[in-house]
Amino acid sequence: MTPSPPGAPDPSPVPPPGPPRDPAPDLSRAPSPGPSSSPAPRRREPRSAVGPSRETTSRGAHTRLGSAGGSGALRHSLATALLVDLDRLTDRAVDDIHAHSGTYASGDPVTRDDLWTICRDNLLRALEDFGGLAPTGGDFEGAARETGRRRAEQGVPLDTVLQAYRRGGRVLWQGMAEHLRTTRAGREADSRDLELDVAGAVWETIDRYSVAMADAYRLAQLELQNRQDTRRTALFEALLDGRADDPAVAAAAATALGVPAQDRYVVVVTTQDPAAPPHPAPALEAQGLWSFWRPRSGRYAGLVRLPRRDLPAGRMPPPGEGPDPALLRLLDALRERTGATAGISPEFERLSQAGRALRLAEQTLRTLPAGSGEAALFDERLNEILLSGRPDIAERIVTVHLGPVLVTGGERAALLTTLRVWLDHGCSASRAAELLYCHRNTVLNRIGRVAELTGRSSESGEARLGWALALRALPYAGLSDPPGTSPVAGDPPGPGGAERDPYGT
C-alpha cells in the first residue's frame, strides 16, 4: 500500500518550500551493486530534450497517465522539467531513504551506489510514464520489477523496500511542488483542479510501480526458496550418505540446515505407516525439538537436534543416568503424537557422523514389529540388533538353550510364556503368577520343568542369561513362535490400562 496523495495546500495550490518533514525512499531497479566504499557514482548528462508523448506502451493494456485529459500538458511539463535535473532529484531520494531506513543507511546489503543507480532508473521511468513521454529504457515498470527481484535476492524485507518507494514518491511530489510554485505566474490563476489531478497522478504512478515491484519480489522469493530447498535436501542426503567427512560438505550442510556443525544430534528413521503422519516434524516442533526430514527408501529419515543438558561447564552426565529429558520428550512425541514406528540412533556431536547414525537407527527400526507404533533407542535394543544381524547365530542360541523345550508339543507355549514373564519380572514367581492369572506354584512347576528339560539350574545366572537370549532370538532364528506368544518387542499394554505380559500372555 502507498499513502494517500497529499492534499492541496491553502491558499497556495502547492506545499510551502523546504525539506520534507518525513524521511525519503528507494525507487529501484538494479544493476550489480558497487562496493560501499567506492567513489560517488558518475552522473549522467542532463536530458536536453524529451521525446514526444505516446498513448500506449510496450505493455499494451497499460494507458499512460500523461495521455488525454486537461492535466496532460501540465504533467508533460513537470516531467520534462524534473528530468533535466534528474541526478539532483536522485540524490534527494537517496538521502531521504537513508534518513528513514537503518537497513539502507547501513550500506549492507544495498550500497549507496547500488541504491542511487536503482533510484535514478525508477525515477526516470516513473517521470516518463507520468508525463506521457516516450520511454528511453524499454518497459516502464521494468525497473520496479528488477528492483523487486534484486531486493529479494539480497534479503531486504519487502516492507522496507515498499517504504523506500513511498519515500521516493514523496520526494518526487516535492520536486513537482517546487516547480509549480516557481512557475505559477505563467499559469492560469485558477489551476487548483489541475494541480490536484497532478498530485493524484503522482501517487497513482508510485502505487502501480510499488505493486509491480512487490509482485516481482514475491516471485523471486518463491524461486529462491525452491532453490534453497533443493540445495538443503541435496546436502542433507550427502550427510546421510556419509559424504560429510569432507569438512566443506559438513559446513555447507550446517549452513543450509541452519544448525551448528557440532551440537547434540540423533538420527531417527520411521516407517511410512499409512495411519501415521507423513513425518514427525510438527509433533517434535511442538516439543521444542528442531528436526529435518526427507523420505528415503520407503521410510522417513530425520535429523533431530537436542537441547544441551543442563550441567555445569566441563561436567559429563553421571554414568548410567539414562535418557535425559530431551530424549524422553523425543520418545514421547514419536510414540504418543505420531503413531509411527521409529528407530533412534545413539547421540552424536558432529554432523559428519550422521551417515553412521543413520545405519544404527535403521538397525534399531528393523528390530521393531511393523506397524506397532513403538519408538526405541539404539542402546535399548542392543540384544535384538545383534541377534537380528546374525540369524545363524540366533538359531544356534535357541537350539542350545531352549531346544528341548521347543519339541515338547502341547507344553511348549505355556512353558515359554511363563519363562518370559518370570525372567522379565526379576524371576519373581509371585509377580509372574499375578500377570499370568495362575497360582504361584504353577509358575514354579513350569520353571522347574524348563530347568529339567534343558539340564540347567533355574538359580544359575548363566542359565537365566541363556534362556533370556534364546527367547529374544526366537523371532530371528527362522523358527515359528510358539502358539499363544508374540514377538519379543513391541506388544501393546494389556486391556484396562493394567500392566500386561509383554510377550502376549
Side-chain angles (χ1 to χ4, degrees):
M1 291 179 59
T2 59
S4 302
D10 286 320
S12 172
V14 294
R21 293 184 205 166
D22 300 333
D26 164 22
L27 290 172
S28 331
R29 170 183 92 168
S32 301
S36 57
S37 60
S38 61
R42 182 174 62 85
R43 312 297 190 190
R44 300 182 187 178
E45 290 299 320
R47 297 168 55 94
S48 58
V50 181
S53 172
R54 293 185 183 176
E55 294 298 325
T56 60
T57 70
S58 59
R59 298 194 64 184
H62 170 57
T63 300
R64 300 259 294 282
L65 289 170
S67 53
S71 64
L74 182 55
R75 295 176 190 172
H76 184 285
S77 173
L78 284 169
T80 302
L82 266 64
L83 282 169
V84 171
D85 204 10
L86 182 59
D87 287 348
R88 188 179 69 85
L89 191 66
T90 304
D91 287 337
R92 287 178 60 179
V94 170
D95 289 343
D96 193 84
I97 292 169
H98 274 208
H100 294 89
S101 171
T103 300
Y104 282 108
S106 70
D108 181 24
V110 183
T111 66
R112 185 180 180 88
D113 285 355
D114 178 11
L115 179 60
W116 191 92
T117 304
I118 283 182
C119 279
R120 191 184 192 281
D121 239 356
N122 275 267
L123 288 169
L124 170 63
R125 308 287 183 92
L127 284 169
E128 289 176 340
D129 188 10
F130 169 82
L133 309 175
T136 58
D139 183 3
F140 277 120
E141 294 172 8
R145 289 193 294 273
E146 176 65 13
T147 299
R149 180 196 63 79
R150 182 170 185 78
R151 294 298 178 250
E153 291 176 348
Q154 292 173 320
V156 181
L158 179 57
D159 285 347
T160 301
V161 188
L162 286 171
Q163 182 195 38
Y165 265 70
R166 291 193 292 271
R167 303 307 308 172
R170 190 169 186 278
V171 169
L172 189 61
W173 167 244
Q174 286 171 342
M176 291 182 181
E178 291 165 6
H179 181 76
L180 287 170
R181 185 180 300 109
T182 59
T183 60
R184 181 174 175 79
R187 299 197 311 278
E188 297 177 4
D190 188 10
S191 58
R192 181 185 301 274
D193 289 344
L194 290 180
E195 289 164 352
L196 288 175
D197 285 346
V198 167
V202 169
W203 291 104
E204 184 181 341
T205 301
I206 297 304
D207 184 62
R208 192 174 67 254
Y209 277 50
S210 296
V211 169
M213 182 279 297
D215 287 346
Y217 183 103
R218 294 186 182 99
L219 181 60
Q221 201 171 46
L222 286 174
E223 293 171 350
L224 286 169
Q225 185 62 51
N226 287 338
R227 290 202 295 267
Q228 289 169 357
D229 287 346
T230 300
R231 174 175 170 78
R232 189 180 295 117
T233 298
L235 287 166
F236 181 64
E237 291 292 336
L239 287 179
L240 298 185
D241 288 342
R243 287 178 278 151
D245 288 339
D246 181 347
V249 173
T255 301
L257 295 172
V259 293
Q262 286 191 251
D263 209 331
R264 292 184 68 205
Y265 296 106
V266 292
V267 168
V268 182
V269 178
T270 71
T271 54
Q272 293 179 322
D273 297 334
H279 60 68
L284 268 59
E285 185 178 359
Q287 295 293 312
L289 299 171
W290 176 92
S291 63
F292 185 84
W293 298 81
R294 291 296 301 170
R296 189 180 174 88
S297 303
R299 298 172 178 171
Y300 277 94
L303 177 69
V304 180
R305 182 185 180 191
L306 303 174
R308 286 286 177 186
R309 291 187 187 232
D310 187 15
L311 293 170
R315 287 192 57 187
M316 298 296 291
E321 185 184 66
D324 71 314
L327 276 175
L328 294 176
R329 290 207 309 274
L330 173 60
L331 286 166
D332 175 70
L334 291 170
R335 289 169 177 163
E336 307 298 331
R337 301 172 188 271
T338 72
T341 306
I344 305 170
S345 77
E347 226 180 272
F348 59 96
E349 289 189 352
R350 295 188 300 278
L351 285 180
S352 58
Q353 299 171 309
R356 175 177 177 272
L358 172 71
R359 293 191 295 274
L360 300 181
E362 288 175 335
Q363 290 174 3
T364 307
L365 179 63
R366 282 197 292 269
T367 69
L368 299 173
S372 66
E374 175 62 15
L377 299 168
F378 178 85
D379 291 348
E380 294 175 344
R381 306 288 293 173
L382 291 175
N383 291 334
E384 290 80 1
I385 290 168
L386 286 172
L387 294 167
S388 65
R390 292 295 303 271
D392 53 337
I393 295 179
E395 181 180 358
R396 190 61 189 163
I397 289 173
V398 171
T399 301
V400 168
H401 292 283
L402 287 178
V405 178
L406 297 179
V407 297
T408 56
E411 285 185 283
R412 185 175 75 167
L415 292 179
L416 291 178
T417 299
T418 302
L419 180 62
R420 282 172 166 164
V421 177
W422 180 71
L423 288 169
D424 281 354
H425 292 85
C427 300
S428 167
S430 299
R431 181 62 177 141
E434 291 176 12
L435 294 170
L436 294 171
Y437 303 104
C438 65
H439 194 276
R440 178 176 180 276
N441 288 340
T442 302
V443 173
L444 293 174
N445 288 337
R446 290 175 182 173
I447 298 303
R449 177 66 172 149
V450 171
E452 178 188 349
L453 289 169
T454 59
R456 300 168 186 271
S457 169
S458 62
E459 300 298 320
S460 165
E462 188 70 21
R464 293 177 180 181
L465 174 61
W467 291 339
L469 282 174
L471 289 169
R472 281 160 176 75
L474 270 173
Y476 315 109
L479 303 170
S480 60
D481 212 28
T485 65
S486 58
V488 174
D491 283 350
E499 185 176 3
R500 178 172 173 260
D501 168 26
Y503 302 108
T505 59

